[in-house]
Amino acid sequence: MAPTTVLITGANSGVGYATTQVLASASEKFHIILACRSLENAEKAKSEIEAAGIKGTLSTVQLDVTNSESVKQAAELVGTKFGTLDVLINNAGMGSQNPDVKTRFQETLEVNVIGPAVVAEAFRPLLLKAEKPYSIYVTSGLGSLAAASASGSDFPGADCYCTSKAALNMLMMREWVAFKSKGLKSFAMCPGFVISNLRGKSEEARNGGRFGQAEDPKTSGELVLSIIEGERDSDAGGFVQKDGVWPW
Ligand SMILES: NC(=O)c1ccc[n+]([C@@H]2O[C@H](COP(=O)([O-])OP(=O)(O)OC[C@H]3O[C@@H](n4cnc5c(N)ncnc54)[C@H](OP(=O)(O)O)[C@@H]3O)[C@@H](O)[C@H]2O)c1
């Protein structure tokens, strides 16, 4: 039987790494492609996850979401190797704290919005060849306009980070409306507040820093698993989190 192919951008750390672990441990049917801007980091993550013992299989591809040529080459490689792609997870993300507002917005939107748009367009033809394709955009509750109007959460770089995730939600919505009739199920998925390099690489920052104790990123991986196993199909086109949905 052909494997269920899953491509995860930014799979070498945090949510992407843990999602790879969860899927690869869940079933031998999954083949996860770790798509990372550093092939060396992708190979390191692959070896570590394999060494822990997994049921599924892994491969790696170099993909920098800000480099259209690398995205195109990765899509060609996946097309040649597998012919289709069952699940695309636009996970790579960052938050710039550059003091210059224009630079801060450019850096953040390039990775968190323009990158996913380029990746989605490059891989969509492969998704549309799959029997039951899923397209997951890893967003954040911080992209919720409703939540922002209620609490106005603040931290360095919140302006561009929150804006980028609201824009990412719109990107997902446009894909959902345009392609749902072709069978593509799109989701904006908030991974929760989890341990990762997003807030910095020190132990304190990884664990949540001044925001409190972050959860194990495997909880994000379990949410991805529930989506691609069809358990959240009734929420397709929505802004999902593990306990329900976020208001837009
Ligand atoms: N952690 C949380 O609490 C939380 C909450 C809400 C949403 N999120 C979202 O979850 C997603 C994953 O973040 P994370 O928390 O797991 O942080 P992370 O540990 O910093 O992981 C981010 C990943 O994105 C990659 N990346 C950054 N720029 C890239 C580029 N130009 N091309 C390809 N990959 C690139 C990073 O690669 P390098 O290692 O090479 O830098 C890394 O693999 C992000 O979209 C983030 O906004 C996280």
Side-chain angles (χ1 to χ4, degrees), residues 85-127:
L85 180 67
D86 296 289
V87 182
L88 173 63
I89 306 179
N90 256 306
N91 164 73
M94 58 84 81
S96 172
Q97 295 181 13
N98 193 296
D100 178 65
V101 62
K102 187 171 176 186
T103 309
R104 183 164 75 241
F105 268 78
Q106 280 173 335
E107 287 175 351
T108 305
L109 295 181
E110 194 173 12
V111 176
N112 293 3
V113 184
I114 301 170
V118 171
V119 170
E121 188 161 302
F123 285 93
R124 201 174 292 123
L126 297 176
L127 285 173

Side-chain angles (χ1 to χ4, degrees), residues 8-21 32 34 49 91 217:
I8 309 180
T9 64
N12 58 286
S13 84
V15 172
Y17 184 100
T19 299
T20 306
Q21 286 179 308
I32 301 115
L34 294 92
I49 294 169
N91 164 73

Side-chain angles (χ1 to χ4, degrees), residues 13-80:
S13 84
V15 172
Y17 184 100
T19 299
T20 306
Q21 286 179 308
V22 170
L23 302 188
S25 305
S27 167
E28 62 285 345
K29 75 180 174 188
F30 291 120
H31 178 81
I32 301 115
I33 305 160
L34 294 92
C36 306
R37 58 177 166 177
S38 154
L39 195 55
E40 194 186 334
N41 288 347
E43 288 294 341
K44 184 171 172 284
K46 175 177 178 284
S47 306
E48 286 168 7
I49 294 169
E50 285 173 340
I54 50 172
K55 297 177 184 165
T57 52
L58 308 181
S59 63
T60 59
V61 68
Q62 198 275 333
L63 188 158
D64 182 333
V65 304
T66 65
N67 180 333
S68 299
E69 191 51 37
S70 88
V71 175
K72 184 169 163 262
Q73 281 179 15
E76 282 170 5
L77 201 132
V78 172
T80 306

Side-chain angles (χ1 to χ4, degrees), residues 10 128 183:
L128 294 175

Side-chain angles (χ1 to χ4, degrees), residues 103-227:
T103 309
R104 183 164 75 241
F105 268 78
Q106 280 173 335
E107 287 175 351
T108 305
L109 295 181
E110 194 173 12
V111 176
N112 293 3
V113 184
I114 301 170
V118 171
V119 170
E121 188 161 302
F123 285 93
R124 201 174 292 123
L126 297 176
L127 285 173
L128 294 175
K129 287 187 194 165
E131 207 176 303
K132 199 179 174 216
Y134 287 91
S135 172
I136 300 175
Y137 293 82
V138 181
T139 181
S140 167
L142 293 169
S144 163
L145 300 180
S149 69
S151 76
S153 165
D154 203 21
F155 53 90
D159 50 3
C160 54
Y161 184 76
C162 299
T163 302
S164 76
K165 293 303 186 180
L168 185 68
N169 291 353
M170 178 61 83
L171 193 64
M172 181 289 297
M173 183 57 80
R174 291 192 55 81
E175 178 183 81
W176 164 243
V177 170
F179 296 98
K180 64 179 170 183
S181 63
K182 295 195 159 78
L184 182 62
K185 291 197 166 52
S186 306
F187 291 80
M189 187 203 96
C190 171
F193 177 53
V194 297
I195 298 167
S196 78
N197 291 338
L198 190 66
R199 293 165 292 268
K201 291 190 176 171
S202 72
E203 233 8 70
E204 197 202 342
R206 282 179 48 75
N207 282 315
R210 71 175 174 94
F211 301 100
Q213 179 57 52
E215 284 186 79
D216 185 332
K218 282 191 177 163
T219 58
S220 323
E222 277 148 19
L223 175 56
V224 170
L225 180 62
S226 70
I227 293 173

